[in-house]
Amino acid sequence: MKITEQIKQPIIKEMELFEQKFYDSMSSKVALLNRITFYIVNRKGKQMRPMFVFLTAKMVSGGNVNERTYRGASVIELIHTATLVHDDVVDDSNRRRGFFSINALWKNKIAVLVGDFLLSKGLLLSIDNNDFDLLKIISVAVREMSEGELLQIEKARRLDITEDIYYEIIRQKTATLIAACCSLGACSVVPENTEVVEKMRKFGELIGMAFQIKDDLFDYTEESIGKPTGIDIKEQKMTLPLIYTLNNCSSKEKSWLINSIKNHNKDKKRVKEVIAFVKNNSGLAYAEQKMVQFQQEAHQILNDFPASDYKDALTLMVNYVIERKK
C-alpha cells in the first residue's frame, strides 16, 4: 500500500464524504463555471490538506468529526485551489499536476475569475454557517501567503536574503496553509481549547517548513521528480542550500555565485557549476539538517497526545514529508 493510502486509512469514510461535499460547495448557476470546477475536481492531487484537517480533528477529540470539520476542509481546499489557479496565471504556467492548467485551456481572464469565484465560495461557506473562528484562521493564512510571495519577489531582485528572512518567506508562503489546516481541524471539534488549537497550528507550521526545505532540496538532486533540476537558480530564487553556501564561502566565491545567479542563470553549464559548488560546500547537508530539526519538533508536539490510529497516521505524514521522492 502506498504511504499516502496508509495515511488516509483511518479517515477513509470522511474523505469519501468530503469529496462529495467539496464538489457540492463549488456549484454555480453558470454552466461554464460548472464545467471548469468539474475539470478541477477530477484532477485533484493527493489531498494532503483535507487529510490534515480530518486527522487533526480526530486525534484531538478522541475520534470525532462534525459538519464544521467538513466545512473547514472544504474551505481550505476551495481557497488552496483558488491560489493554485491564480499562481498558474502569474507564472504563465500551462501545466498543473501533469494536466493542462485552467489558464491554458480557458485563458487568463477566465482563470482569474474562477479563482475569485472559488475564493468567494470559501468565504461564504464559513459566513453562511457562522464559522467566524474558522474564517479568521483561513483569512490570516491567505494574507500571509500573499505577503510571503511578495517578500520573496522583493528579495529576489536584490539577492540580499538572510537565513532568517528565508524562514519567514517559507513560513508565510507554504507553512501557513498547513498550519491553518491543523488549527482548523482542532478548532472545528474543540473550539474552546485554545491551547490545543495553537499547538496544532504550530505542528502544521513545522511540517510546512520541513516540506518546503525538502522541495528546495529537489532542485539540487538528479532524481526524476516533477520539477527540472536548477529551476530555482534559473528563477533567481534564494533557497536554503544556496543561502548557507553564500554565507560560508570566500568573498571571491561569493561574487562568482551572485554573478552566476544574476547574469548567467539561463546558462545550463553555469547553473550546473553552481549546483556542484553548493553540493561541495555542505549547502545540501546543512539544509537537510535543518529540515530534520523541524520534523523532530513536529514529532515532539504529537508526543503530547494519547496513542491512536490518527496520531500514527500524522506521524507517518511527518515522515513522508521529508522522505518523499517528489
Side-chain angles (χ1 to χ4, degrees), residues 7-236:
I7 294 166
K8 208 183 266 191
Q9 218 49 44
I11 50 164
I12 208 132
K13 286 210 308 283
E14 286 79 7
M15 288 301 288
E16 280 171 11
L17 185 52
F18 160 73
E19 283 191 24
Q20 188 52 51
K21 286 177 183 282
F22 177 55
Y23 183 52
D24 293 345
S25 71
M26 286 203 264
S27 67
S28 156
K29 291 189 177 76
V30 179
L32 173 62
L33 256 174
N34 286 333
R35 212 159 61 237
I36 296 171
T37 53
F38 182 75
Y39 179 81
I40 290 169
V41 169
N42 285 321
R43 279 148 195 78
K44 60 183 183 297
K46 297 188 196 79
Q47 293 191 304
M48 299 303 253
R49 285 156 198 85
M51 282 157 72
F52 272 121
V53 175
F54 290 114
L55 287 170
T56 301
K58 293 195 113 180
M59 182 184 74
V60 304
S61 68
N64 298 321
V65 294
N66 54 33
E67 281 304 315
R68 268 164 58 85
T69 319
Y70 285 101
R71 288 197 295 270
S74 293
V75 171
I76 275 283
E77 202 64 349
L78 282 165
I79 288 179
H80 174 60
T81 308
T83 61
L84 294 184
V85 172
H86 282 165
D87 279 354
D88 287 339
V89 174
V90 171
D91 298 338
D92 205 11
S93 171
N94 290 324
R95 312 287 290 183
R96 165 71 59 184
R97 299 185 185 121
F99 295 98
F100 283 115
S101 58
I102 303 299
N103 49 304
L105 292 172
W106 285 281
K107 302 287 178 271
N108 282 353
K109 184 175 182 177
I110 289 178
V112 170
L113 294 169
V114 168
D116 292 346
F117 170 78
L118 295 172
L119 195 61
S120 66
K121 275 287 196 179
L123 300 177
L124 285 168
L125 186 59
S126 295
I127 292 165
D128 291 346
N129 292 284
N130 293 326
D131 297 329
F132 295 109
D133 50 349
L134 306 185
L135 183 59
K136 184 171 183 186
I137 291 170
I138 290 151
S139 302
V140 168
V142 174
R143 183 197 70 205
E144 295 212 316
M145 283 156 67
S146 316
E147 285 178 346
E149 286 286 357
L150 288 162
L151 179 60
Q152 184 171 46
I153 292 166
E154 180 192 330
K155 292 297 173 186
R157 285 181 178 155
R158 297 207 298 267
L159 299 184
D160 63 344
I161 199 167
T162 62
E163 203 171 313
D164 283 345
I165 289 173
Y166 165 80
Y167 291 135
E168 185 54 18
I169 288 171
I170 68 167
R171 185 191 69 72
Q172 292 186 318
K173 248 186 68 172
T174 306
T176 193
L177 193 64
I178 300 176
C181 295
C182 297
S183 54
L184 260 183
C187 191
S188 72
V189 286
V190 289
E192 67 296 332
N193 195 334
T194 49
E195 193 187 327
V196 165
V197 174
E198 172 52 28
K199 202 177 264 189
M200 292 319 296
R201 186 202 66 77
K202 186 66 187 165
F203 168 77
E205 185 174 283
L206 290 162
I207 290 190
M209 302 291 276
F211 182 91
Q212 187 57 55
I213 296 173
K214 179 69 174 180
D215 247 21
D216 294 347
L217 283 163
F218 281 143
D219 205 47
Y220 291 87
T221 51
E222 302 301 324
E223 289 170 56
S224 58
I225 53 161
K227 177 176 171 184
T229 303
I231 202 163
D232 287 341
I233 296 165
K234 290 180 191 118
E235 290 177 1
Q236 300 186 339

